[in-house]
Amino acid sequence: MIRPFSFLILAAILMTGCQNQKNVSDTAEVKQDTSTLISLETQLQAIDPNFSTDSVLLSFSVFNHSDTVQRFCKWETPFEPMLGKYMEIIDEQGTEAQFTGPMARRVMPPPAESYILVQPHDCVSTVYNLAKNYTIKPGNYTVKYTGGGVSGLQEVNEVKITVNGK
């Protein structure tokens, strides 16, 4: 007698939880969200061609090519430089540089303060040191942004760098 009653209570709780989910049935709303992602473009650049194993300074920019203010989540981007793996760093032998920085668990959806606004036809940029979160040895590397997931930003270019000793 207890089991059927418990099953009914569990089913009622699950059904109540599902009713609170928002269904996106309006295709205009989906298109609007997609268009905001297309209008933002990332660009990765080397600041100085003289890199050492403890100083690999790169610039990361986000350009807004649209006529309206756009936003992106700074999570998984260099705008939050000391948290998370969002770069792929591959040497000439195809070996990826080891990530040594901290990872974070996040509350979803991201809170409002996690977003950065980009004005129409403008950009935001930051400079960061790859060597702070990755083990970089002397050699030639290809670096590209791979964060995309939460931020919504996509990788556009890659940068070739040569790292010398200390």
Side-chain angles (χ1 to χ4, degrees), residues 52 62 101 144 146:
S52 66
V62 178
K144 63 182 176 179
T146 59

Side-chain angles (χ1 to χ4, degrees), residues 77-120:
T77 75
F79 288 95
E80 193 177 48
M82 299 305 286
L83 200 55
K85 182 181 178 206
Y86 44 78
M87 291 291 173
E88 181 179 85
I89 306 163
I90 307 290
D91 68 14
E92 289 180 311
Q93 291 75 38
T95 305
E96 187 170 358
Q98 180 183 7
F99 178 75
T100 58
M103 296 294 281
R105 290 190 174 249
R106 306 294 189 150
V107 175
M108 293 301 279
E113 63 270 9
S114 301
Y115 287 89
I116 295 176
L117 297 178
V118 187
Q119 297 301 314

Side-chain angles (χ1 to χ4, degrees), residues 32-100:
Q32 181 181 8
D33 288 345
T34 303
S35 68
T36 61
L37 296 178
I38 293 170
S39 61
L40 293 176
E41 177 184 308
T42 63
Q43 183 178 41
L44 191 59
Q45 288 184 308
I47 297 296
D48 183 352
N50 299 317
F51 297 115
S52 66
T53 56
D54 59 351
S55 180
V56 182
L57 296 178
L58 299 178
S59 169
F60 183 80
S61 300
V62 178
F63 294 87
N64 178 1
H65 297 295
S66 76
D67 294 328
T68 59
V69 175
Q70 301 295 316
R71 70 181 191 153
F72 65 94
C73 183
K74 68 182 177 181
W75 296 352
E76 298 179 0
T77 75
F79 288 95
E80 193 177 48
M82 299 305 286
L83 200 55
K85 182 181 178 206
Y86 44 78
M87 291 291 173
E88 181 179 85
I89 306 163
I90 307 290
D91 68 14
E92 289 180 311
Q93 291 75 38
T95 305
E96 187 170 358
Q98 180 183 7
F99 178 75
T100 58

